[in-house]
Amino acid sequence: MLDAYVYEAVRTPRGLARPGGALVGVKPVNLVADLMRRLVARVGLAPTALDDVLLGCVTQTGEQGANLAKTASLVGGLGHSVSAATLNRYCCSGLDAVNLAAAKVASGVESLVLAGGVEMMSRVPMMSDRGAWYADPDVAAQTGFVHMGVAADLVATLDGTSREDCDAWAFESHARAARAQREGRFARAMEPVCDDQGATLLTHDEAVRPTLTREKLASLSPAFAGVGAAGADAVALRRYPTLSAVTHLHTVATSPGVVDGAALVLVGNRAAGRTHGLKPLARIVSFANASAEPVLMLTAPADATRRALDRASLTLDAVSLFEMNESFAAVVLRYLRALKLDPARVNVDGGALAMGHPLGATGAMLVSTLVDALARTDGRYGVVSLCGGAGVASATVFERAPL
């Protein structure tokens, strides 16, 4: 098996997916196509050098349907000879695109693959694809579907996590993200988004609130009590009959923000790097998938992380930094407890509670955040992990490339 390296990792800022959000007028295909052009220009790569393009996208319908990866490749000037595929492992999709690229490169089948993800949640709302898991009543009943917010509240209830615990993590996430913005920690990877006339639309993650207070967090009402009362709580309690009730404590602030964004990672072998004059940012050491039962849904990242580290023959103590997607505060707190991690090693530049979670793009965004943080802190190994719908999870181990 050959080594697979990250030669470049870029992303757009995350724009608020609501009226007035900076990116709501940008089509998904144009958002990622422009990022493709920018990445190729950064590294001075001939587009025809790419063997494949792999793009994560969760809601593949409407403007995000019909193999968006291939459409964006054509619009982005990669040429008709470069093939492309769009994949969906729910919120893990962007990271899984990187993992699949690494597998293809490591196997020797391909030498240079562009991977990443995109999600324009302002234009293609979550669940608008009407998937059977949540839109078909028979399938939903058979699989025990509940809204992921109710699943997060169920995780908190089972773990004894308090509202104060969740608010504290959200407050810290915003503080870390605001500091990262002030110090320019995202500057290397960030590419601004411009309109068709070249005017800049967004240069920073739009959702971060540097002035957020603990009092404001405490004043917010639980976001998913109504969904629970409409039937989701009953489904959860049938699966967990020892509970008398689901305690609803996640608010809009302790849930990941709904945003727009895209990210790309250039993955290749050592020979491709030499041929094209590319300098690696990191080596992809190993990766793994895991899954939890679908009602609880959000708890498998710890298992995926353990599996990925086992495959790399590494211990948790060998890992300098972790990027664990903040798909609800209680889910991150579960991850910390399950792996007995120091919070100072996890999401050091904030997470989705502050910056938002553009479903199919987040995993690839976290790759750039991690490799830049490893370089800044002189860390060696890092892990990116995410959970997704119906219980899925992914984790990837990276090693910082030597200077």
Side-chain angles (χ1 to χ4, degrees), residues 278-298:
L278 304 172
K279 181 180 178 180
L281 300 174
R283 180 173 70 95
I284 300 172
V285 182
S286 65
F287 52 86
N289 300 110
S291 192
E293 70 90 3
V295 175
L296 196 58
M297 192 188 311
L298 307 171

Side-chain angles (χ1 to χ4, degrees), residues 9 125 127 365 394:
M127 300 187 187
M365 287 186 167
S394 301

Side-chain angles (χ1 to χ4, degrees), residues 228-293:
D233 282 1
V235 175
L237 294 174
R238 281 197 295 271
R239 187 64 58 92
Y240 294 92
T242 58
L243 295 177
S244 59
V246 176
T247 302
H248 292 287
L249 47 76
H250 283 91
T251 67
V252 293
T254 51
S255 307
V258 179
V259 294
D260 300 324
L264 293 171
V265 179
L266 182 62
V267 180
N269 60 27
R270 177 65 78 179
R274 292 195 187 102
T275 298
H276 300 288
L278 304 172
K279 181 180 178 180
L281 300 174
R283 180 173 70 95
I284 300 172
V285 182
S286 65
F287 52 86
N289 300 110
S291 192
E293 70 90 3

Side-chain angles (χ1 to χ4, degrees), residues 34-248:
D34 184 60
L35 195 61
M36 289 173 174
R37 283 188 287 264
R38 289 171 178 268
L39 183 146
V40 168
R42 265 192 186 216
V43 298
L45 188 71
T48 52
L50 294 169
D51 293 310
D52 204 0
V53 175
L54 304 169
L55 202 63
C57 185
V58 174
T59 312
Q60 295 183 33
T61 189
E63 292 183 327
Q64 291 180 171
N67 193 2
L68 180 61
K70 180 57 181 174
T71 308
S73 297
L74 292 170
V75 174
L78 299 188
H80 64 269
S81 64
V82 180
S83 191
T86 310
L87 59 89
N88 181 4
R89 200 190 296 271
Y90 296 116
C91 300
C92 308
S93 300
L95 184 62
D96 265 73
V98 174
N99 293 345
L100 180 55
K104 298 178 84 171
V105 167
S107 71
V109 171
E110 293 174 347
S111 299
L112 200 59
V113 179
L114 188 59
V118 62
E119 206 83 34
M120 291 295 296
M121 301 180 74
S122 62
R123 301 175 68 95
V124 187
M126 184 171 62
M127 300 187 187
S128 60
D129 57 347
R130 304 295 295 162
W133 177 47
Y134 37 81
D136 183 323
D138 292 336
V139 174
Q142 290 177 49
T143 58
F145 169 76
V146 298
H147 188 282
M148 44 289 300
V150 174
D153 285 338
L154 177 61
V155 171
T157 303
L158 289 168
D159 289 355
T161 300
S162 70
R163 166 69 184 267
E164 291 73 22
D165 294 335
C166 292
D167 285 354
W169 187 265
F171 182 82
E172 182 65 18
S173 182
H174 276 273
R176 293 180 181 188
R179 180 183 62 213
Q181 285 186 334
R182 286 195 310 273
E183 297 180 1
R185 294 183 181 183
F186 303 131
R188 187 211 62 82
M190 192 86 76
E191 288 285 353
V193 179
C194 300
D195 64 17
D196 294 340
Q197 285 71 48
T200 300
L201 296 175
L202 189 63
T203 61
H204 63 281
D205 294 312
E206 197 174 12
V208 180
R209 297 179 60 188
T211 60
L212 184 67
T213 65
R214 295 180 186 274
E215 291 74 21
K216 177 61 177 178
L217 286 166
S219 72
L220 299 173
S221 300
F224 306 106
V227 178
D233 282 1
V235 175
L237 294 174
R238 281 197 295 271
R239 187 64 58 92
Y240 294 92
T242 58
L243 295 177
S244 59
V246 176
T247 302
H248 292 287

